[in-house]
Amino acid sequence: MINFKNIFLGSKHIILYGLLMAILVFALKWLQWKFLIVDNALEIYVGLIAVFFTILGVWVATQLVKPKIQTLIVEKEVYITQSGEFTIDETELKKLSLSSREYEMLQLLAKGYSNSDIGENLFLSLSTVKTHISNLFTKMEVKSRTQAIAKAKRLKIIR
Amino acid sequence: MINFKNIFLGSKHIILYGLLMAILVFALKWLQWKFLIVDNALEIYVGLIAVFFTILGVWVATQLVKPKIQTLIVEKEVYITQSGEFTIDETELKKLSLSSREYEMLQLLAKGYSNSDIGENLFLSLSTVKTHISNLFTKMEVKSRTQAIAKAKRLKIIR
DNA sequence: AAACCTTTCATACTAAAGTACCGGTTTGGC
DNA sequence: GCCAAACCGGTACTTTAGTATGAAAGGTTT
């Protein structure tokens, strides 16, 4: 996991700090100019003191400050075998955009019905059954009823 | 999870920093003014500078310290769909007394293979495949490949 | 109203599946 | 060695499946 905070503090922070120091120096210089209260030696001295004690502060802190604790939550996947409960994959089913008759054909196909069986069951002519099944195959991109059954089961669109 | 620290450092941090610097500048100016009049107190001035920058250094360091990562493992339940615990009904399979080739045919039938597909796969002639499948149908007491597939799945003799 | 999809049915045809019967080889058990 | 079963392959035939194309009725959407 990327720690944005570290990146921020690791590089930009230091740059920012340096810049602020530079600005401070210039600000002091400007103030010095403006108020003509001049004591260059003192400014340099104070600046060195500042830098030194800043570094000292950092060093002291790194030696004494307790390390921060960041909690990283890791999800461990526990697999639970769910017995039997079959659910139709509605997403996959909608993708195919089958008509109701076509889906009906598919269900009966999977039951092992022949074309004439289906016709007799749904009171349709053999021609009609063939037409529906042919269209079904086109939509499912298969070439035979057995392929249709295999694919339908794989996609979980029939039980 | 929202990291308040990032928000703080992201925008308010800079403002705070600026404010601190402004205060510092004015403080220095004030001190400079004061101790130019009260000359002997240079040590106090430098001391204050030292203290201030030490604190600043500590503060910077605490911001820079790399957080120690504590890993917390949380269990997440994942439901895996049926296939995990499918077992072939050996009893039903033995009842049919299929030969190894016949059973092989059945498995490929269920995959949606055509007779010629099977032939090419197993390096058998179409005639041989037909013979095996025909014998398979007789043993299974079915009349078509789709019926064979349906029955085989019902009896749980194929996956 | 026109365009589109679904459903129904038809004919004609090709491709594949399935049956029946045949011959031959191999393999494992008695 | 013999027998039964499995295995491999073939021919011939019937049946079923699948494709192509068209047509008509009904519903929905634009």
Side-chain angles (χ1 to χ4, degrees), chain B residues 62-88:
Chain B
T62 57
Q63 298 302 305
L64 284 169
V65 164
K66 215 177 191 174
K68 186 183 170 185
I69 293 167
Q70 186 187 57
T71 307
L72 183 66
I73 295 166
V74 176
E75 287 190 350
K76 185 189 177 186
E77 291 184 346
V78 175
Y79 292 93
I80 195 93
T81 45
Q82 94 271 31
S83 59
E85 36 127 20
F86 177 85
T87 45
I88 289 166

Side-chain angles (χ1 to χ4, degrees), chain A residues 5-6 9 17 20 37 42-43 45 50 53-54 61 68-70 72 74-76 78 80 112 147 156, chain B residues 5 17 32 36 42 46 53-54 56 61-64 67-68 70 72 74 76 78 80 82 85 112 147:
Chain A
K5 191 175 155 201
N6 281 348
L9 290 170
Y17 193 51
L20 281 164
I37 305 159
L42 180 63
E43 297 299 338
Y45 176 55
F53 278 94
T54 304
K68 288 178 194 173
I69 294 168
Q70 191 188 51
L72 177 66
V74 176
E75 285 186 347
K76 185 189 175 186
V78 179
I80 296 168
Q147 279 179 28
K156 291 177 184 294
Chain B
K5 201 125 206 175
Y17 217 137
Q32 195 175 355
L36 273 176
L42 180 64
V46 170
F53 277 96
T54 304
L56 182 68
T62 57
Q63 298 302 305
L64 284 169
K68 186 183 170 185
Q70 186 187 57
L72 183 66
V74 176
K76 185 189 177 186
V78 175
I80 195 93
Q82 94 271 31
E85 36 127 20
Q147 280 179 27

Side-chain angles (χ1 to χ4, degrees), chain A residues 57-85:
Chain A
V58 169
W59 180 78
V60 167
T62 53
Q63 295 301 308
L64 298 177
V65 167
K66 266 188 194 168
K68 288 178 194 173
I69 294 168
Q70 191 188 51
T71 307
L72 177 66
I73 295 167
V74 176
E75 285 186 347
K76 185 189 175 186
E77 292 185 341
V78 179
Y79 292 95
I80 296 168
T81 49
Q82 201 171 11
S83 57
E85 295 206 29

